[in-house]
Amino acid sequence: MKRLLDVLREDCALTGTKEGCGEGECGACTVLIDGQAVNSCLVPFAQVAGSSVTTIEGLTGAEALQSAFIREGGAQCGICTPGMILAAVALPKDADLQDIRRGLAGNICRCTGYEGIYRSLRAAAIPARAAD
Amino acid sequence: MRTALSSLSLLEPRSLQEALSMLRDAPGTTPLAGGTDLYVGLNFGTVRETRFLDLSRLRPLREIALQGDVLSIGALATYTDIVRSPLVAERLPILASAAREIGGVQIQNRGTVGGNVANASPAGDTLPVLAAADAVVVLQRAGGSRRVPFTGFYTGYRKSVRRADELIVAIEVPPVEGRQWFRKVGTRAAQAISKVVMAGIRSPRPRLALGSVAPTVLRLPLTEASLAASGSIEEARRVLAREIQPIDDLRSTAAYRHRVAGNLLAQFWSLPESLAPLISRRIAARLRTQPVEDYRLDFEDGYGNRSDAEEDSHAISAAREVVTGMAAGTLSSSIGVRIKPLTEELRARSFRTLDLFVTQMVRDAGRLPDNFVVTLPKVTAPEQVAAIAEIFEALERGLSLPAGALALEIMVETPQSIIGPAGEISIGGLVSAAGGRCLAAHFGTYDYTASLNITAAHQHMLHPACDFARHAMQAALAGTGVWISDGATNVLPIPPHRGEDRTLTGREIARNRAAVHAAWKLHYDHVRHSLANAFYQGWDLHPAQLPTRYAALYAFFLEGLDAASARLTNFVEKAGQATLVGDVFDDAATGQGLLSFFLRASACGAITEQEAVEKSGLTLEELRSRSFVRILAGRRAAAVRGRETGNGSRATKGSETAAVPRGQLDRESKD
Amino acid sequence: MPAVGQNVLRKEGRGKVTGAAKYVDDLSFPGMLYGSTIRSTIPCGRIRSTRPEFDPSEWVVAGVPDIPGKNVIALIEDDQPCLADGRVRHVAEPILLLAHADREALAGAKVAVDYEPETPVYDPAASPRVFKEILIEKGDLGKGFSRAARVVEGEYRTGHQEQLYIECNGVIAVPENGGITVYGSLQCPYYVHKALVVLLGLPPERVRVVQTETGGGFGGKEEYPSMLAGHASILALKAGRPVKMVYDRVEDMLATTKRHPSIVRHRTGVASDGRIVAMDIDVLMDGGAYLTLSPVVLSRGVLHATGPYRCDDVRVHGRVVMTNTPPNGAFRGFGAPQTLFAAEVHMERISEALEMDPVRLRELNLFRPGDTTATGQVLGADCSAAEVLREAVARTGFDARRQALSGTNAGIGLSLFFHGSGFTGGGEVRLASRASLALTPTGARILVGSTEIGQGTRTIHAQIVADALGIPYENVEVSDADTACVPDSGPTVASRTCMVVGKILQNCALEMKARLGSLSPARYLELHGPLVVTREYEKPAELEWSDETYRGDAYGAYGWGCNVAEVERDPDTFEIRPVRLTAVCEIGKAIHPTLAAGQIEGGTAQGIGYAILEEVVFRDGAMANAQMTNYVVPTTLDTPPIDVVILESAYPHGPHGAKGIGEMPIDGPAPAIVNAIRHMGVDLRQIPATPERVMEASCVSP
C-alpha cells in the first residue's frame, strides 16, 4: 500500500518528485506512468508493476523546455517545477493556450501566476516547431 | 500521511473470479481502483479499513462497449477513458462533460467511474449524470450478479445497497432520448469540489438529477413532473426548492445552493443555446415583415374618460387614420376597436363612439377593413352581449353593410363572466348571446384578479387564479371555434432613465439595461406559460414587447420540434399500419394535436412551411389538408395500392427506426 | 555589457528544473529521527495533564522541562512560548514534542491531554487585549470636515489568507559541535538564530542556521520557522540525534501564521468639486493569540491606510488585538493589502456618491511630487501615482470599456496604490543590516543573509555587484545563506532585499573596486591575500522618522501601482471570473525585467485569490478547511491573462534607482476586482468576493 511517491523519494532516492499536499490537489508529485501524468501521492506502488515510470530525473528530450523554465521565469521557488514540467510534457503536441491551461490545471504554482510558465512553453515550442 | 501504510494489506487478484472469491472469503475488504479518493482519506487518517483489494489487474472491467442498445461502461474505465470514448460522446456526452471537470488531468488519468459510484459522495460529479440517464449498476459476487437501478442504489450518506461481497463491475446506460445538459458549479474553475452539480435530459419526459444538495445524489421526480406538466419554470423552481435539502458546509451555504440549483434548473429549461441564432434571425425577419398581427384602437382603460367633444373628435380622426391605412395597405391583417364597457354610466358613451367610428370609416372607405372586430370589455352578463349585437344590426342596416359584417370579441375579466349567478360556467351563455357574432374571448388579468380581491403585488399573469379562469374559458369554448387569447404583461420594457438633454452615467445605463432585461424576462416567461397552457394568442401593450413575444413563441415551437417530429412520424406510420391490418385505430385526436403543432409553428413563422413538411414527414398536400383523418385515409389508400404492387416495405422500415430521435437517425444513416 | 537591466540567467535555476535542487525534505542525516508535535485541540484553557497513549520508552518525548533556555520565541516581545506552559491560547498550540526513527509511527502516536477550558475570544472588536495601538494625526480633522460638502462613510472587511507556499514548513536540527545546526526552509536565518540562542541558552556561535532551497515563503516562513526550528532543536538535543520535522499540509495550515483579518472604517469629507478634505480612518486587525509581528503589520497597515491620496486633515487610528486563534503573521504586503483594499473600495464609493468618474476623482486627489503624506513625509520626484494611473487607463481603454460594459454582467474597475519599500525609517536603522563581498580569483562572492526563495535574490544581487565591480555577471558567486559564514543582512521581507541589501552590496562592490585599483582579482589575492569587504546600512541623511509621534519619512521610497480588472459575473451562479488584469507598476528600476515581471505576475495572482477565492473558514477557533481541497487558490483556469507594465522612476538611494517590488503587486487586485464588481451595481465591501457573498450583495443592490 506504499505510495509511489514514497518509493521514489525514499527507496529510490529520487527526491525531484515533491510532496506538496498528499491529497492530489497540487500536482507537485506528478510523474508519468506509461506517458500519462498522475499524482504519485495517490498511486499505490503495487499498481505500477510492469509500467514505465518517468520522474524529472529520468526525463529525456525536454532540455529545451527545462532551459526555457529558467530563462522565461517558469520556475521561481522551483517546488512545483518538476511536476509542472512533467505535466507539460504530457500535453498534446498541438496544444493551444486553452489546452495548456486545462492540461496544467492540476498543477498549482503559487509564485508565477502561470504567466512565466506559459512563456516557457511558448519559448520551448518555437525551436521544436522549427525543427519539424 | 497520517496512516501507517505499511500496516495495511493489499490483496492482488489476477482475475474477476479470484477477486470475487477474495471478497467472499474476506469480508470487510475494500476494493481499490484508481486510489484517487482512497489515498486522500489515508493521507488525512480518516480511513478505518485495513485490508484492500487491488482491482487494477482486472483489465476487462475497463471496457466501454455497446451491448445491444445499452451502453456498458466498465467500472474501471477512467475519466480519461470516458472523455476519449466515441461511444460515450455519442450516447451520453454529458458523462464526458462531467469527467472532464473532475480534478486535474492527473486525477482524470487515474480515477474511475466505478470508484466514483462506490465512493458514494453526494458531490460525485458523474453521479447526477448516471442518475438522470436511468443508469443501472451491475453488481457481481461469487456465483451471481444483479442489476440495481441507479436511483435505488444509494440508501443514505455514503451508503449504498452494495453488499460487502459484491463488486461494481459495470454501469449500464439505456438509450437516452432528448437533449442532454450538465453543469458543475465548483469552488473554483478547475480542480474543484462541486457546490451544486446538475444533469438533465430535456424531453417530453424531462429527467433531472442534482449533486451536493442532499446526503446522496438526488433524482428529482417531482420537479420533473412539474416541468412536464406546466412548463412554468417558476412553479418548477418552487417544487425543486422543496425537493432538495442542501446544507451549510465548508464550501458553500444552503441558501446559495438553493438559489443556484433553481437558477440551473431555469438555465437547463431555457432556450438551448444552439437555437438562439436561428430564433434571433427569425424574430428579426418577422419584425421587418409583419410585426403586429392584430391591432386594437383603445377607447377604454388605455384612453380613459374624457369630455364628449374630445372623444367624439378622436373617434372620427381614428376612423380616418384607419381608412388611410386601408388605402395604403399598411394595416395589420386584423384590426379593431375597443369601446367602453356597457355599464350604466358608460353605455351611452360606448355606443356613441362605436357609431361615430364605424360610420366615419364606412362613409370614407365604403367598407369595413378586413377582419374588423369590436372588443367589448368587462362583460358581466349576456344582456350586455345581446345589446351590442342589436346595435351591430342597427349599424349594419343604417350603413348598408352585409348582415353579420360586424364581429365581436368579449373580454373575460370579471368573475361573473366565468361563473354565473347560479354557479354555472357563464362563458358559453355570453358567446351565444352574440348570436354567432362572437369570434373570440380575451382574458383580462388585472381586472379579474382585482375583482377577486387579490392585492396589487400579486396581480400577475402567473397567479393560480388566472389559470383557473383560463382553464374555464378553454374548457367552455373547446370545439366552438371561438378563439381564446391571453392577457398582457403590464410591466413594460422601458428604461427608467432618459438622456434627452445629457449623456447617461454608467450607473444609469446599467439600471436601464437591468430594467429592460427584467421586463423582457418576465414577458418571456408569461408568454411561455400561455403557450404551455395552449393559449396561442396574447396581447401586448408596447412595441418593445414584440421581440420577447416572438422569442417565446419561436423557442416554444423550435424546442419541441424534434420531439414532435419523431412522435408524428411514428404515429402516422403506426396509424397507417393499424388501419392497414384492420385494427381499430381510435387515437386520431393525438395525431391531430401533433399535426396542429406543425401548422401553428409554421403559421407563426417559427418554422417555414418547407421545414414543416420535412420535419413532419408529410407531403405539402397532406400538411395543407390540416386534417389527420384525411391524411390517414390517403396513406391507407396508397398503402393498399403499394401492397398490390409488392412495394410495402418502406413504411415498415420507417416504423422500426422512428423511435430513435432524429439526430441519431441522421448519424446512423451516415455510418 | 552591464548586467543590470538584462535578463541574465538566474543563478540557482538549473537544479530546480532537473530535480537536483535539495529542499529540506530531500535531505537526510545518519541516525535521523522524525519529529512531530502534539497540539492543543481547544482554543483557550489550562492543561491539567498530558498522558502519552503509547510506550514512551521507544520514543523521544520532550516538553517544557526539556527546554535548555527560555521558553519563548524571541521576536518583538517574548510573549509566545515555544511549548505551552500550563495553558493554551489557541487551537494547535504546541504542547509536547515526539520523535521516532520510524516516520510511520508518528501517525499513530496519540497523547491524551486533559484541559480545563476557558471562554475564548474570537471577535476582535470584543478583545480584552490590545497588542499595539497607533495614532497618526495630521492637520485638524474638525476643520477638514467643516469644509466638506459631503461625508462618505463605510466599513470594509478582509479575511485571513494562507500563504500556501507549495513546500510546507520544515527543518532538520542536527546536534553538532556542542550546539545545534538547523537546516530549513526559511526566509530569515538570523531570526531563527536569534530565537534559538534564547530558547536553547547557547552562545551565538554554537547556533548555526542554514537555509535550504525554499519552496516559497510569501512571509509564511518569516517568523514561524523560529518555532519549528526550536521544536526540532529541543528534540535533537534531547535525543542526541538529528531530527527532521516537516509539516504535512493539514498541520501547516492549522498551526502556522496567516494574513491578519481586518475591519477598516472610513469617514471622509469631500468638497463639492471632489477634493478630499478630511479623512478619519479606523483600522482594527486580528492578531491572533500572540503578539508575534503584529505591531509591525499594523504599522504598515496604518501607514498605507489613506491610499495614495493627499489630504491636509487626517486621522488614522489603528489597533491590533488578541483573539484565541493561531497567531497571524507576515504575508506579502504585510498589512497594506488590507488597508489599501478599504481605501480603494471607499474611493469607489465616493465616486459613486458624487456620481463622479472614478478616474477623475483619483486624478484630482492622488499624490504628486512635493505632496505630504499623513505622516508629513514630502514625496520626492519619483512619486508616480499620476503616471501609473494614466498608463493603466490608456492601456486598457478604461473609459470606453467602462461605458461599453455598463449594464451587462461584466464590469471593469481599477485600484491605485503605493507600497513603502523596506522597513520604516526607524526600522532599517535598528536592523543595521550588513552585507559582505569576498574577492575570488575571477571575481567576487556575495555573502548575505538574504535568502533566495524563488524571487531571484541571488541573481539580482550578482547583477548589481557585477556592474559595480565592472566584471561579467558569471564571475560573481553567491554564498548560501548560512549564519556560519554570512553576516546578518536583516530579514528577507518587506520588499527590502533589492533596494536596501542590494544597495549595501553595491557599496561593498564600489569599495572593493577602489581597493583593487588596477589589479585583477587574482593578482590582488596574490599580492595582498584574502579580501572581504563588509558594509552596513547607511541611512540617507534626509530621512527622519519618529516611532513615538509617527511623524516623518515612513519609508525611504514608495513603489506605485495601478491595476485594472475586468471581470464577468455568471448570472446564474454569481461566480466572478476575472477576464483580464492589467498591472502597471513603477518600481524605480527593473534590475532583471523577467524576474521583476515574475514578482508582479505572481503577486497579482495571489491578489486575485485573495479577492475572490481564498477564505479561511474558522470553526471553534480552528481552521476548518485546512486542506488544499477546501482552501482553494487560483489554478491556471482561475488566473486570467496578466498584462504587466513596468515603469521606472529612479529612487536616488536605491541601487540603479531600484525600489522594492515583492509586495506591492498583491495590494491592487482585490480592490480593482471588487470595484469591477461594483461597476455591475453590486454593493460589495468585503473579500473574498465568493459567489455566496456576491449573491447576497446582488440581491440587496441599490
PDB file of all heavy atoms in Angstrom, chain B residues 2 5-6 183 188-189 251-252 256 259 263 267, chain C residues 104 248 403 408 570 572-573 629-630 633 638 692 699:
ATOM      1  N   ARG B   2      -1.109  10.473   7.281  1.00  0.00           N
ATOM      2  CA  ARG B   2      -1.495  10.201   8.666  1.00  0.00           C
ATOM      3  C   ARG B   2      -1.947   8.761   8.888  1.00  0.00           C
ATOM      4  O   ARG B   2      -2.611   8.467   9.873  1.00  0.00           O
ATOM      5  CB  ARG B   2      -2.572  11.198   9.077  1.00  0.00           C
ATOM      6  CG  ARG B   2      -2.041  12.627   8.996  1.00  0.00           C
ATOM      7  CD  ARG B   2      -2.970  13.663   9.484  1.00  0.00           C
ATOM      8  NE  ARG B   2      -2.207  14.912   9.607  1.00  0.00           N
ATOM      9  CZ  ARG B   2      -2.560  15.940  10.341  1.00  0.00           C
ATOM     10  NH1 ARG B   2      -3.671  15.893  11.042  1.00  0.00           N
ATOM     11  NH2 ARG B   2      -1.813  17.020  10.395  1.00  0.00           N
ATOM     12  N   LEU B   5       0.952   3.236   6.304  1.00  0.00           N
ATOM     13  CA  LEU B   5       0.571   2.438   5.138  1.00  0.00           C
ATOM     14  C   LEU B   5       1.122   1.023   5.203  1.00  0.00           C
ATOM     15  O   LEU B   5       0.496   0.080   4.710  1.00  0.00           O
ATOM     16  CB  LEU B   5       1.062   3.111   3.856  1.00  0.00           C
ATOM     17  CG  LEU B   5       0.422   4.461   3.520  1.00  0.00           C
ATOM     18  CD1 LEU B   5       1.021   5.024   2.240  1.00  0.00           C
ATOM     19  CD2 LEU B   5      -1.089   4.322   3.371  1.00  0.00           C
ATOM     20  N   SER B   6       2.282   0.863   5.812  1.00  0.00           N
ATOM     21  CA  SER B   6       2.871  -0.484   5.803  1.00  0.00           C
ATOM     22  C   SER B   6       2.096  -1.450   6.695  1.00  0.00           C
ATOM     23  O   SER B   6       2.289  -2.652   6.621  1.00  0.00           O
ATOM     24  CB  SER B   6       4.339  -0.418   6.195  1.00  0.00           C
ATOM     25  OG  SER B   6       4.453   0.193   7.459  1.00  0.00           O
ATOM     26  N   ARG B 183     -24.106  20.746 -15.777  1.00  0.00           N
ATOM     27  CA  ARG B 183     -23.398  21.927 -15.294  1.00  0.00           C
ATOM     28  C   ARG B 183     -22.882  21.663 -13.880  1.00  0.00           C
ATOM     29  O   ARG B 183     -23.622  21.207 -13.009  1.00  0.00           O
ATOM     30  CB  ARG B 183     -24.333  23.141 -15.271  1.00  0.00           C
ATOM     31  CG  ARG B 183     -23.726  24.412 -14.690  1.00  0.00           C
ATOM     32  CD  ARG B 183     -23.028  25.261 -15.746  1.00  0.00           C
ATOM     33  NE  ARG B 183     -22.223  26.308 -15.130  1.00  0.00           N
ATOM     34  CZ  ARG B 183     -22.581  27.591 -15.024  1.00  0.00           C
ATOM     35  NH1 ARG B 183     -23.731  27.983 -15.529  1.00  0.00           N
ATOM     36  NH2 ARG B 183     -21.784  28.460 -14.455  1.00  0.00           N
ATOM     37  N   ARG B 188     -13.933  26.472  -7.567  1.00  0.00           N
ATOM     38  CA  ARG B 188     -13.118  27.325  -8.451  1.00  0.00           C
ATOM     39  C   ARG B 188     -13.244  26.764  -9.856  1.00  0.00           C
ATOM     40  O   ARG B 188     -14.009  25.832 -10.099  1.00  0.00           O
ATOM     41  CB  ARG B 188     -11.657  27.385  -7.976  1.00  0.00           C
ATOM     42  CG  ARG B 188     -10.960  26.056  -8.024  1.00  0.00           C
ATOM     43  CD  ARG B 188      -9.507  26.128  -7.514  1.00  0.00           C
ATOM     44  NE  ARG B 188      -9.067  24.786  -7.148  1.00  0.00           N
ATOM     45  CZ  ARG B 188      -8.004  24.506  -6.413  1.00  0.00           C
ATOM     46  NH1 ARG B 188      -7.245  25.473  -5.955  1.00  0.00           N
ATOM     47  NH2 ARG B 188      -7.681  23.268  -6.126  1.00  0.00           N
ATOM     48  N   ALA B 189     -12.457  27.323 -10.797  1.00  0.00           N
ATOM     49  CA  ALA B 189     -12.676  26.990 -12.209  1.00  0.00           C
ATOM     50  C   ALA B 189     -12.208  25.591 -12.579  1.00  0.00           C
ATOM     51  O   ALA B 189     -12.670  25.012 -13.548  1.00  0.00           O
ATOM     52  CB  ALA B 189     -11.987  28.026 -13.093  1.00  0.00           C
ATOM     53  N   ARG B 251     -17.814  24.583   2.087  1.00  0.00           N
ATOM     54  CA  ARG B 251     -17.641  25.076   0.726  1.00  0.00           C
ATOM     55  C   ARG B 251     -18.707  26.052   0.288  1.00  0.00           C
ATOM     56  O   ARG B 251     -18.509  26.800  -0.662  1.00  0.00           O
ATOM     57  CB  ARG B 251     -17.623  23.903  -0.252  1.00  0.00           C
ATOM     58  CG  ARG B 251     -16.509  22.943   0.035  1.00  0.00           C
ATOM     59  CD  ARG B 251     -16.464  21.771  -0.915  1.00  0.00           C
ATOM     60  NE  ARG B 251     -15.633  20.740  -0.324  1.00  0.00           N
ATOM     61  CZ  ARG B 251     -16.071  19.564   0.068  1.00  0.00           C
ATOM     62  NH1 ARG B 251     -17.332  19.247  -0.091  1.00  0.00           N
ATOM     63  NH2 ARG B 251     -15.260  18.698   0.622  1.00  0.00           N
ATOM     64  N   SER B 252     -19.857  26.011   0.939  1.00  0.00           N
ATOM     65  CA  SER B 252     -20.918  26.908   0.489  1.00  0.00           C
ATOM     66  C   SER B 252     -22.017  26.964   1.539  1.00  0.00           C
ATOM     67  O   SER B 252     -21.861  26.445   2.638  1.00  0.00           O
ATOM     68  CB  SER B 252     -21.476  26.431  -0.856  1.00  0.00           C
ATOM     69  OG  SER B 252     -22.312  27.428  -1.401  1.00  0.00           O
ATOM     70  N   TYR B 256     -27.181  29.538  -0.856  1.00  0.00           N
ATOM     71  CA  TYR B 256     -26.565  29.605  -2.182  1.00  0.00           C
ATOM     72  C   TYR B 256     -26.972  28.400  -3.017  1.00  0.00           C
ATOM     73  O   TYR B 256     -27.350  28.514  -4.183  1.00  0.00           O
ATOM     74  CB  TYR B 256     -25.052  29.663  -2.029  1.00  0.00           C
ATOM     75  CG  TYR B 256     -24.303  29.686  -3.345  1.00  0.00           C
ATOM     76  CD1 TYR B 256     -24.162  30.867  -4.063  1.00  0.00           C
ATOM     77  CD2 TYR B 256     -23.733  28.528  -3.878  1.00  0.00           C
ATOM     78  CE1 TYR B 256     -23.477  30.895  -5.269  1.00  0.00           C
ATOM     79  CE2 TYR B 256     -23.050  28.547  -5.079  1.00  0.00           C
ATOM     80  CZ  TYR B 256     -22.921  29.727  -5.772  1.00  0.00           C
ATOM     81  OH  TYR B 256     -22.246  29.745  -6.972  1.00  0.00           O
ATOM     82  N   ARG B 259     -30.528  28.684  -4.245  1.00  0.00           N
ATOM     83  CA  ARG B 259     -30.684  29.683  -5.300  1.00  0.00           C
ATOM     84  C   ARG B 259     -30.093  29.195  -6.618  1.00  0.00           C
ATOM     85  O   ARG B 259     -30.712  29.284  -7.679  1.00  0.00           O
ATOM     86  CB  ARG B 259     -29.994  30.964  -4.840  1.00  0.00           C
ATOM     87  CG  ARG B 259     -30.052  32.105  -5.789  1.00  0.00           C
ATOM     88  CD  ARG B 259     -31.447  32.725  -5.757  1.00  0.00           C
ATOM     89  NE  ARG B 259     -31.445  33.952  -6.517  1.00  0.00           N
ATOM     90  CZ  ARG B 259     -31.230  35.157  -6.005  1.00  0.00           C
ATOM     91  NH1 ARG B 259     -31.026  35.278  -4.713  1.00  0.00           N
ATOM     92  NH2 ARG B 259     -31.222  36.216  -6.763  1.00  0.00           N
ATOM     93  N   ASN B 263     -31.572  28.368 -10.292  1.00  0.00           N
ATOM     94  CA  ASN B 263     -31.087  29.053 -11.495  1.00  0.00           C
ATOM     95  C   ASN B 263     -30.625  28.054 -12.553  1.00  0.00           C
ATOM     96  O   ASN B 263     -30.846  28.261 -13.746  1.00  0.00           O
ATOM     97  CB  ASN B 263     -29.924  29.984 -11.147  1.00  0.00           C
ATOM     98  CG  ASN B 263     -30.382  31.207 -10.368  1.00  0.00           C
ATOM     99  OD1 ASN B 263     -31.581  31.421 -10.206  1.00  0.00           O
ATOM    100  ND2 ASN B 263     -29.447  31.990  -9.885  1.00  0.00           N
ATOM    101  N   GLN B 267     -31.839  27.529 -16.269  1.00  0.00           N
ATOM    102  CA  GLN B 267     -30.925  27.527 -17.413  1.00  0.00           C
ATOM    103  C   GLN B 267     -31.134  26.263 -18.243  1.00  0.00           C
ATOM    104  O   GLN B 267     -31.188  26.314 -19.466  1.00  0.00           O
ATOM    105  CB  GLN B 267     -29.487  27.583 -16.899  1.00  0.00           C
ATOM    106  CG  GLN B 267     -28.510  28.093 -17.925  1.00  0.00           C
ATOM    107  CD  GLN B 267     -27.081  27.874 -17.469  1.00  0.00           C
ATOM    108  OE1 GLN B 267     -26.668  26.755 -17.182  1.00  0.00           O
ATOM    109  NE2 GLN B 267     -26.333  28.948 -17.391  1.00  0.00           N
TER     110      GLN B 267
ATOM    111  N   GLU C 104       6.458   6.455  10.050  1.00  0.00           N
ATOM    112  CA  GLU C 104       5.075   5.987  10.098  1.00  0.00           C
ATOM    113  C   GLU C 104       4.533   5.906  11.518  1.00  0.00           C
ATOM    114  O   GLU C 104       3.336   6.040  11.739  1.00  0.00           O
ATOM    115  CB  GLU C 104       4.972   4.602   9.453  1.00  0.00           C
ATOM    116  CG  GLU C 104       4.901   4.661   7.945  1.00  0.00           C
ATOM    117  CD  GLU C 104       4.340   3.370   7.392  1.00  0.00           C
ATOM    118  OE1 GLU C 104       4.457   2.337   8.068  1.00  0.00           O
ATOM    119  OE2 GLU C 104       3.770   3.418   6.293  1.00  0.00           O
ATOM    120  N   ASP C 248       2.917  18.259   7.421  1.00  0.00           N
ATOM    121  CA  ASP C 248       2.074  17.946   6.275  1.00  0.00           C
ATOM    122  C   ASP C 248       1.154  19.153   6.054  1.00  0.00           C
ATOM    123  O   ASP C 248       1.158  20.119   6.834  1.00  0.00           O
ATOM    124  CB  ASP C 248       1.322  16.620   6.448  1.00  0.00           C
ATOM    125  CG  ASP C 248       0.203  16.661   7.483  1.00  0.00           C
ATOM    126  OD1 ASP C 248      -0.070  17.737   8.063  1.00  0.00           O
ATOM    127  OD2 ASP C 248      -0.411  15.605   7.722  1.00  0.00           O
ATOM    128  N   GLN C 403     -17.857  52.286 -20.271  1.00  0.00           N
ATOM    129  CA  GLN C 403     -19.131  52.640 -20.897  1.00  0.00           C
ATOM    130  C   GLN C 403     -19.739  51.403 -21.574  1.00  0.00           C
ATOM    131  O   GLN C 403     -20.925  51.114 -21.420  1.00  0.00           O
ATOM    132  CB  GLN C 403     -18.877  53.748 -21.930  1.00  0.00           C
ATOM    133  CG  GLN C 403     -20.131  54.441 -22.437  1.00  0.00           C
ATOM    134  CD  GLN C 403     -20.726  55.400 -21.401  1.00  0.00           C
ATOM    135  OE1 GLN C 403     -20.039  55.804 -20.480  1.00  0.00           O
ATOM    136  NE2 GLN C 403     -21.999  55.717 -21.532  1.00  0.00           N
ATOM    137  N   THR C 408     -24.153  45.368 -18.122  1.00  0.00           N
ATOM    138  CA  THR C 408     -24.025  43.968 -18.533  1.00  0.00           C
ATOM    139  C   THR C 408     -23.618  43.134 -17.319  1.00  0.00           C
ATOM    140  O   THR C 408     -23.492  43.652 -16.212  1.00  0.00           O
ATOM    141  CB  THR C 408     -22.936  43.809 -19.607  1.00  0.00           C
ATOM    142  OG1 THR C 408     -21.670  44.097 -19.003  1.00  0.00           O
ATOM    143  CG2 THR C 408     -23.176  44.771 -20.767  1.00  0.00           C
ATOM    144  N   ASP C 570     -21.262  35.354 -13.540  1.00  0.00           N
ATOM    145  CA  ASP C 570     -22.220  34.396 -14.077  1.00  0.00           C
ATOM    146  C   ASP C 570     -23.585  34.718 -13.468  1.00  0.00           C
ATOM    147  O   ASP C 570     -23.740  34.694 -12.245  1.00  0.00           O
ATOM    148  CB  ASP C 570     -21.792  32.970 -13.715  1.00  0.00           C
ATOM    149  CG  ASP C 570     -22.686  31.936 -14.369  1.00  0.00           C
ATOM    150  OD1 ASP C 570     -23.918  31.960 -14.159  1.00  0.00           O
ATOM    151  OD2 ASP C 570     -22.141  31.095 -15.097  1.00  0.00           O
ATOM    152  N   ASP C 572     -26.220  33.106 -13.237  1.00  0.00           N
ATOM    153  CA  ASP C 572     -26.904  32.002 -12.558  1.00  0.00           C
ATOM    154  C   ASP C 572     -26.184  31.557 -11.299  1.00  0.00           C
ATOM    155  O   ASP C 572     -26.819  31.118 -10.343  1.00  0.00           O
ATOM    156  CB  ASP C 572     -27.028  30.803 -13.511  1.00  0.00           C
ATOM    157  CG  ASP C 572     -27.932  31.111 -14.689  1.00  0.00           C
ATOM    158  OD1 ASP C 572     -28.995  31.712 -14.455  1.00  0.00           O
ATOM    159  OD2 ASP C 572     -27.562  30.785 -15.820  1.00  0.00           O
ATOM    160  N   THR C 573     -24.858  31.631 -11.311  1.00  0.00           N
ATOM    161  CA  THR C 573     -24.104  31.069 -10.185  1.00  0.00           C
ATOM    162  C   THR C 573     -23.381  32.141  -9.370  1.00  0.00           C
ATOM    163  O   THR C 573     -22.779  31.825  -8.361  1.00  0.00           O
ATOM    164  CB  THR C 573     -23.050  30.073 -10.696  1.00  0.00           C
ATOM    165  OG1 THR C 573     -22.076  30.804 -11.461  1.00  0.00           O
ATOM    166  CG2 THR C 573     -23.678  29.011 -11.586  1.00  0.00           C
ATOM    167  N   THR C 629      -7.901  20.882  -0.800  1.00  0.00           N
ATOM    168  CA  THR C 629      -9.186  20.657  -1.458  1.00  0.00           C
ATOM    169  C   THR C 629     -10.186  21.747  -1.089  1.00  0.00           C
ATOM    170  O   THR C 629     -11.031  22.115  -1.893  1.00  0.00           O
ATOM    171  CB  THR C 629      -9.787  19.311  -0.983  1.00  0.00           C
ATOM    172  OG1 THR C 629      -8.752  18.344  -0.966  1.00  0.00           O
ATOM    173  CG2 THR C 629     -10.904  18.872  -1.872  1.00  0.00           C
ATOM    174  N   ASN C 630     -10.091  22.194   0.128  1.00  0.00           N
ATOM    175  CA  ASN C 630     -11.126  23.103   0.629  1.00  0.00           C
ATOM    176  C   ASN C 630     -10.660  24.540   0.838  1.00  0.00           C
ATOM    177  O   ASN C 630     -11.488  25.434   0.960  1.00  0.00           O
ATOM    178  CB  ASN C 630     -11.716  22.556   1.930  1.00  0.00           C
ATOM    179  CG  ASN C 630     -12.581  21.342   1.674  1.00  0.00           C
ATOM    180  OD1 ASN C 630     -13.244  21.251   0.646  1.00  0.00           O
ATOM    181  ND2 ASN C 630     -12.559  20.391   2.585  1.00  0.00           N
ATOM    182  N   VAL C 633      -6.872  27.952  -3.953  1.00  0.00           N
ATOM    183  CA  VAL C 633      -6.087  29.054  -4.525  1.00  0.00           C
ATOM    184  C   VAL C 633      -6.231  28.968  -6.042  1.00  0.00           C
ATOM    185  O   VAL C 633      -6.690  27.952  -6.562  1.00  0.00           O
ATOM    186  CB  VAL C 633      -4.601  28.951  -4.093  1.00  0.00           C
ATOM    187  CG1 VAL C 633      -4.481  29.035  -2.584  1.00  0.00           C
ATOM    188  CG2 VAL C 633      -3.961  27.689  -4.631  1.00  0.00           C
ATOM    189  N   ASP C 638      -8.249  29.667 -13.207  1.00  0.00           N
ATOM    190  CA  ASP C 638      -8.812  30.767 -12.411  1.00  0.00           C
ATOM    191  C   ASP C 638      -8.033  32.062 -12.620  1.00  0.00           C
ATOM    192  O   ASP C 638      -8.462  33.113 -12.152  1.00  0.00           O
ATOM    193  CB  ASP C 638      -8.746  30.422 -10.913  1.00  0.00           C
ATOM    194  CG  ASP C 638      -9.571  29.200 -10.581  1.00  0.00           C
ATOM    195  OD1 ASP C 638     -10.789  29.336 -10.483  1.00  0.00           O
ATOM    196  OD2 ASP C 638      -8.993  28.107 -10.456  1.00  0.00           O
ATOM    197  N   GLU C 692     -21.138  33.219  -2.918  1.00  0.00           N
ATOM    198  CA  GLU C 692     -22.157  33.344  -1.883  1.00  0.00           C
ATOM    199  C   GLU C 692     -22.332  34.812  -1.488  1.00  0.00           C
ATOM    200  O   GLU C 692     -23.457  35.297  -1.328  1.00  0.00           O
ATOM    201  CB  GLU C 692     -21.776  32.504  -0.655  1.00  0.00           C
ATOM    202  CG  GLU C 692     -21.885  30.985  -0.862  1.00  0.00           C
ATOM    203  CD  GLU C 692     -20.743  30.375  -1.660  1.00  0.00           C
ATOM    204  OE1 GLU C 692     -19.770  31.096  -1.975  1.00  0.00           O
ATOM    205  OE2 GLU C 692     -20.833  29.177  -1.995  1.00  0.00           O
ATOM    206  N   CYS C 699     -28.559  40.625  -4.336  1.00  0.00           N
ATOM    207  CA  CYS C 699     -29.985  40.611  -4.026  1.00  0.00           C
ATOM    208  C   CYS C 699     -30.437  41.841  -3.262  1.00  0.00           C
ATOM    209  O   CYS C 699     -31.623  42.067  -3.129  1.00  0.00           O
ATOM    210  CB  CYS C 699     -30.338  39.351  -3.251  1.00  0.00           C
ATOM    211  SG  CYS C 699     -29.965  37.892  -4.197  1.00  0.00           S
TER     212      CYS C 699
END
